[in-house]
Amino acid sequence: MMCNCHVTVDQNNRELVQHGTTAFPVASYLDDLRQYGVSWHWHEELEAAVVTEGEAAVTIGTRTMTLREGEGFFVNSGVLHSCHPAGAGNSCLHSVVFHPRLVGGSAESIFYQKYVRPITENHSMEGFCLCESEPWQASALDALHRAWSACEQEPADYELLVRNALSELMAALVSGSSEIQTEPDKKGLRDEERIKRMLAFIHQEYAGKLTTAEIARSASVSESECLRCFHTTIGTTPIQYLRNYRIEQAAQMLAAGSTNIWDAALQSGFQDVSYFSKTFREIKGCTPKEYRARQQYH
């Protein structure tokens, strides 16, 4: 099954979308990052994606990468990540999100023990980029392309084709990941857990008046530690992240067509419609009115 990806998360930033079905836990997505960036979230499933057009800025855990057309990335289970357009022009991804049990079966199986566990239970392996210049990464990208195409086209035996391709993807990752093994970054893991809690608080309370002090308290840290953690992990300040998140929520309301501009501003935490319009234009490159018209046209 192939569809557009819209990220919806719970109060802990865990994605709420079910990828595929219980019987066949995999889904493929065509992500137009210019229309909808992929905001910070995490899920139990594994994810692999390739840039099919333009450039994309991908952040996995504490690492940010700018990927060009033909390059891809892998995200491990439970790892915070986000993706946004980079540079000018279009920015599109083909991504596949799948539960480890699709390729691993039960925890006692040889498939899980040999090809899933070395990845999912390695906390130092948050994810990495995939480039065709490295043979094992090229193999992973080829398997990803085949899995995505089978999901898109759905031939009679597509379930087997998808599972086989994803099994080859995992085999490539296991064979090549030994080249990039590192010791677990305990400080980085601690920062990520703190960020998960603070982002969860922002996502739950963004419509109200929030301060850096309140965001810091949600993770039981000082304001200075909050600022350091945001800067180190996602490269911005808590208030800048809050502002951007509010704009993304307002944009979703406007795209749905059921909310006027003033209500979208208020419901997303802006009390001044002029400041809202100015901020919206700064982030989205157009006015709220233009954005709503453009989305309704599409």
Side-chain angles (χ1 to χ4, degrees):
M1 178 177 64
M2 194 272 288
C3 50
N4 293 321
C5 182
H6 304 292
V7 174
T8 304
V9 299
D10 65 12
Q11 66 272 20
N12 295 313
N13 279 64
R14 181 176 179 176
E15 189 175 16
L16 293 173
V17 173
Q18 179 178 359
H19 300 284
T21 65
T22 302
F24 191 53
V26 59
S28 63
Y29 299 97
L30 171 59
D31 301 315
D32 183 346
L33 300 179
R34 287 292 173 194
Q35 184 173 5
Y36 294 105
V38 180
S39 59
W40 286 98
H41 68 289
W42 63 275
H43 40 66
E44 290 182 358
E45 294 86 354
L46 305 170
E47 180 173 352
V50 61
V51 180
T52 59
E53 189 174 0
E55 297 182 348
V58 180
T59 304
I60 303 172
T62 59
R63 182 186 178 195
T64 298
M65 306 166 284
T66 298
L67 304 181
R68 299 177 177 84
E69 185 174 328
E71 297 177 331
F73 62 89
F74 169 78
V75 184
N76 209 346
S77 174
V79 176
L80 271 173
H81 57 285
S82 67
C83 193
H84 298 279
N90 294 333
S91 180
C92 297
L93 298 178
H94 285 175
S95 60
V96 177
V97 183
F98 60 102
H99 198 281
R101 72 171 180 273
L102 177 67
V103 295
S106 69
E108 295 78 23
S109 74
I110 187 62
F111 305 105
Y112 181 88
Q113 295 292 330
K114 190 172 181 179
Y115 300 105
V116 174
R117 186 176 180 181
I119 300 292
T120 59
E121 296 189 13
N122 185 345
H123 298 297
S124 68
M125 189 185 300
E126 295 183 320
F128 37 80
C129 65
L130 300 171
C131 302
E132 292 184 339
S133 58
E134 289 289 336
W136 70 270
Q137 295 178 19
S139 296
L141 285 169
D142 176 67
L144 170 59
H145 283 300
R146 286 186 280 113
W148 194 92
S149 295
C151 283
E152 180 192 26
Q153 298 168 12
E154 293 192 5
D157 58 347
Y158 88 100
E159 296 92 346
L160 286 174
L161 295 174
V162 171
R163 189 182 65 174
N164 289 345
L166 292 177
S167 295
E168 292 180 38
L169 169 66
M170 295 301 293
L173 296 179
V174 170
S175 67
S177 61
S178 59
E179 300 178 11
I180 54 174
Q181 291 293 335
T182 59
E183 289 298 318
D185 181 359
K186 294 181 180 179
K187 188 171 183 294
L189 293 173
R190 184 196 64 188
D191 284 350
E192 185 173 335
E193 287 305 312
R194 288 175 171 176
I195 277 290
K196 282 183 178 181
R197 286 152 60 187
M198 288 188 281
L199 293 185
F201 177 73
I202 290 173
H203 291 185
Q204 186 173 5
E205 305 291 341
Y206 71 92
K209 294 182 179 180
L210 294 185
T211 65
T212 300
E214 291 171 322
I215 295 170
R217 280 197 295 271
S218 71
S220 302
V221 297
S222 66
E223 288 186 56
S224 61
E225 180 64 10
C226 170
L227 289 166
R228 185 204 63 78
C229 194
F230 265 83
H231 176 73
T232 301
T233 306
I234 61 178
T236 188
T237 69
I239 298 305
Q240 287 173 332
Y241 179 86
L242 171 63
R243 184 193 65 162
N244 292 351
Y245 186 78
R246 283 171 168 168
I247 291 297
E248 290 299 328
Q249 299 311 299
Q252 291 184 26
M253 297 178 204
L254 294 173
S258 58
T259 307
N260 62 45
I261 293 172
W262 174 240
D263 285 341
L266 288 177
Q267 292 176 34
S268 57
F270 290 91
Q271 302 301 314
D272 184 332
V273 71
S274 296
Y275 176 67
F276 167 70
S277 296
K278 177 183 177 182
T279 305
F280 195 99
R281 177 190 283 274
E282 178 185 332
I283 293 174
K284 290 295 186 180
C286 62
T287 67
K289 183 177 180 180
E290 290 168 343
Y291 184 86
R292 183 174 60 181
R294 187 182 302 168
Q295 296 304 311
Q296 291 174 351
Y297 175 78
H298 286 297

